[in-house]
Amino acid sequence: MAEQFDVVIIGSGPGGYVAAVRAGQLGLKTAIIEKEKDARLGGTCGLRGCIPTKALLNAAHLYQKAGEFEHFGLKVDGLSYDWPGVQKYKSDVVAKNSAGVTYLMKKNKVAVYNGFAKILGPGKVEVALADGKKETLQTKNIIIATGSVVRPIPGFETDGKTVVNSDHILELQNVPKSLVVMGSGAVGTEFASVYHRFGSEVTLVELLDRIVPLEDAEVSKELQRAFKKQGIHVETDLKLDKMEKTKSGVKVSGKNAKGETITLEAEMLLVAVGRMPYLEGLGLENTKVKVSQRGTVEVNEFCQTAEPGIFAIGDVLPTAQLAHLASDEGILVVEQIAGKKVEPIKHNLVPNCTYCDPEVASVGLTEAKAKEAGYDVKIGKFPFSASGKARILGETDGFVKIVAEKKYDEVLGVHIIGPHATELLAEACVGMALETTAAELGRIMHAHPTVSESVREAAEGVHDQTIHM
Ligand SMILES: Cc1cc2nc3c(=O)[nH]c(=O)nc-3n(C[C@H](O)[C@H](O)[C@H](O)COP(=O)(O)OP(=O)(O)OC[C@H]3O[C@@H](n4cnc5c(N)ncnc54)[C@H](O)[C@@H]3O)c2cc1C
């Protein structure tokens, strides 16, 4: 007889596995299905996304720091790196993380199926198991958490050697001498930061008129300035439309805003221009689940699809492709299955994080978006060049910018570029969730010396009351 579950989750990324943990905690009989070879759990985030990239970024950061040791009065002779060693460090972190997810499944009594899941209809999921057998699971609820894959770009087909995507570039055997990165979002800028610091000559290309185009315009400008200072070449307003392989690598070209043809040659091209939901072979035709023209699953604010008992979370949705958002959606769905009262996710409070060098992080409205929305806006800004702790760290590029509105002084957005930006953002998220005013945030005592004081100073700046500027 088929196994009976309360909830079957398809996909073990940060959406699926977090949903499984909470389901276990709430006493729901839960199964998770993952197609990844050897039942490696963790999804894109754990295996090919957040975790491995941040390990490489950390190694790159330490290597760069070691190169700057003289600034701190320290000496390192014969500094070099061992690329296979860097790759091993990254792979070890990934393996430990994935093992941690496996442990969490066990701890929360979640049944793990290693195989490809197909929905046969509401309440019925078939698993083509890794050992070739098939099993059908009966369930009251199904959660689609099948995530996303790299979106192929016509004319820029990857071969895993000279033309690579974000999956390939994580596994390189050698650091390329030169690298063109197509796309300046989080993935593009992070890999530019990794490989530049390990010695590649990097050119970052963006179609729009500024890099990290979803961030506040001043953040884009500051990042471009910092990249230029470091030696990363940036081309904005450039629409690449041609690629050809050469003896030594690859040549790409396109027209810039002035109509000039720009040609770039490198040993390697990284195509970093987007991902698409992965719904292949999932059996949605056996359900009433609706998929939009863009290929995303249509849900309401409670992540319910058009088919009762089938939910969707994470990268299959049209919202931001972020691990923490996928996880929160997983919790939202499982808690409603368990009969708890839940609130829809507040998308204006989803933190954005880019771990390039310097880091970029933001929450809420940019200055331009706040004005567009009709707010009368006040800005507070504090540069890390005026922070004692940033000087101690030797990382003074960047700033904290706070966008508040005049009438009630409510903080509408916080934008940080600089040291530990992705960590500093947490207090902005808490503050904005509690509808803080700039005056309140500016009155919270912060430990000294910390880079977090810059958040307080920026909040004080909204009322022209920064202390250290
Ligand atoms: C290079 C890179 C860096 C990133 N860095 C960050 C970051 O720093 N911070 C951040 O927040 N986000 C980051 N992201 C985005 C983040 O990885 C995703 O938003 C997140 O993984 C989405 O989670 P998910 O659970 O929706 O799906 P995924 O993590 O994609 O997991 C889906 C899982 O479902 C499995 N699956 C699919 N179909 C089936 C099936 N039919 N049967 C069985 N299993 C199936 C897949 O094998 C996969 O393991 C990064 C992404 C990339 C590519």
Side-chain angles (χ1 to χ4, degrees):
M1 207 181 99
E3 279 254 43
Q4 275 284 350
F5 289 96
D6 292 317
V7 54
V8 166
I9 299 161
I10 308 174
S12 74
Y17 89 76
V18 169
V21 169
R22 181 54 52 89
Q25 288 169 341
L26 294 173
L28 299 174
K29 190 161 189 287
T30 308
I32 193 162
I33 309 168
E34 175 53 61
K35 67 176 171 58
E36 183 76 24
K37 199 164 165 262
D38 301 327
R40 292 198 319 153
L41 307 184
T44 304
C45 170
L47 307 177
R48 286 177 286 275
C50 328
I51 299 297
T53 51
K54 270 79 246 180
L56 288 183
L57 280 155
N58 185 43
H61 179 72
L62 293 173
Y63 181 57
Q64 178 211 341
K65 276 276 161 211
E68 293 168 2
F69 266 16
E70 268 186 25
H71 170 81
F72 304 95
L74 307 170
K75 273 201 127 173
V76 185
D77 289 326
L79 178 67
S80 64
Y81 62 84
D82 159 36
W83 185 246
V86 172
Q87 285 287 17
K88 182 181 177 309
Y89 151 69
K90 175 213 74 186
S91 302
D92 286 351
V93 173
V94 167
K96 284 201 180 106
N97 231 64
S98 181
V101 178
T102 305
Y103 161 77
L104 289 173
M105 296 304 101
K106 212 176 202 170
K107 180 179 171 214
N108 291 286
K109 300 188 175 51
V110 175
V112 177
Y113 290 83
N114 186 199
F116 195 96
K118 180 175 181 178
I119 303 173
L120 299 179
K124 232 187 212 185
V125 182
E126 178 190 80
V127 193
L129 292 162
D131 63 8
K133 292 187 190 130
K134 280 192 176 166
E135 199 168 329
T136 302
L137 314 182
Q138 302 280 359
T139 177
K140 290 184 191 140
N141 301 281
I142 297 170
I143 303 178
I144 299 168
T146 50
S148 63
V149 288
V150 170
R151 183 188 294 280
I153 304 295
F156 294 87
E157 285 75 18
T158 58
D159 61 9
K161 291 181 185 117
T162 48
V163 187
V164 300
N165 62 32
S166 66
D167 294 347
H168 305 129
I169 201 162
L170 280 169
E171 308 300 335
L172 296 185
Q173 305 290 313
N174 298 295
V175 172
K177 282 197 181 62
S178 51
L179 176 70
V180 170
V181 178
M182 183 180 172
S184 77
V187 172
T189 53
E190 288 183 8
F191 282 115
S193 280
V194 168
Y195 285 97
H196 166 69
R197 284 180 286 179
F198 281 120
S200 296
E201 200 182 293
V202 174
T203 303
L204 181 64
V205 179
E206 171 55 50
L207 171 71
L208 299 177
D209 61 355
R210 58 190 179 94
I211 59 172
V212 285
L214 298 179
E215 296 293 343
D216 190 275
E218 285 192 86
V219 169
S220 299
K221 201 169 158 197
E222 177 70 2
L223 184 63
Q224 187 158 343
R225 194 189 65 80
F227 274 0
K228 194 172 169 198
K229 196 168 94 181
Q230 292 166 24
I232 296 178
H233 181 68
V234 176
E235 289 281 351
T236 51
D237 263 326
L238 176 56
K239 184 174 171 32
L240 293 178
D241 53 18
K242 206 166 152 208
M243 175 188 82
E244 56 188 287
K245 306 266 178 76
T246 62
K247 265 196 195 144
S248 55
V250 60
K251 188 155 98 177
V252 287
S253 59
K255 283 208 163 46
N256 67 12
K258 293 181 200 147
E260 299 160 340
T261 298
I262 306 283
T263 302
L264 303 164
E265 277 192 71
E267 189 179 321
M268 193 174 282
L269 169 70
L270 167 65
V271 184
V273 283
R275 297 179 64 81
M276 57 182 196
Y278 182 75
L279 300 168
E280 225 172 275
L282 190 59
L284 293 186
E285 64 283 5
N286 303 324
T287 70
K288 293 197 209 97
V289 175
K290 288 203 179 95
V291 176
S292 72
Q293 278 198 332
R294 299 210 58 203
T296 54
V297 177
E298 292 186 1
V299 291
N300 65 12
E301 57 187 357
F302 294 101
C303 296
Q304 297 163 345
T305 69
E307 178 74 68
I310 302 187
F311 302 82
I313 61 173
D315 277 12
V316 297
L317 302 184
T319 38
Q321 294 182 329
L322 290 164
H324 39 277
L325 177 56
S327 300
D328 271 30
E329 286 162 348
I331 290 169
L332 168 82
V333 166
V334 166
E335 291 190 344
Q336 65 185 288
I337 289 172
K340 293 196 170 295
K341 190 175 177 307
V342 292
E343 295 284 336
I345 284 171
K346 295 190 174 87
H347 286 275
N348 62 324
L349 295 179
V350 175
N352 302 302
C353 46
T354 302
Y355 299 75
C356 52
D357 171 39
E359 287 188 356
V360 170
S362 64
V363 61
L365 296 176
T366 61
E367 182 178 349
K369 290 267 179 231
K371 284 179 179 163
E372 248 174 69
Y375 288 107
D376 200 358
V377 163
K378 297 181 298 180
I379 302 297
K381 222 173 135 188
F382 188 78
F384 285 110
S385 57
S387 152
K389 183 60 185 279
R391 281 189 208 119
I392 293 168
L393 297 175
E395 294 176 37
T396 50
D397 280 337
F399 54 78
V400 178
K401 172 173 175 176
I402 294 194
V403 180
E405 53 87 40
K406 270 190 191 150
K407 195 168 173 199
Y408 301 107
D409 195 37
E410 186 174 349
V411 174
L412 302 173
V414 177
H415 307 274
I416 310 176
I417 174 167
H420 306 292
T422 56
E423 304 285 348
L424 294 183
L425 192 71
E427 78 166 282
C429 295
V430 174
M432 283 181 61
L434 299 174
E435 298 179 3
T436 188
T437 63
E440 284 166 339
L441 189 56
R443 230 162 278 150
I444 304 285
M445 204 185 295
H446 284 61
H448 177 75
T450 59
V451 276
S452 71
E453 289 168 294
S454 306
V455 177
R456 177 187 184 176
E457 291 266 28
E460 293 272 59
V462 171
H463 305 289
D464 301 320
Q465 287 187 330
T466 49
I467 298 293
H468 293 92
M469 234 181 58

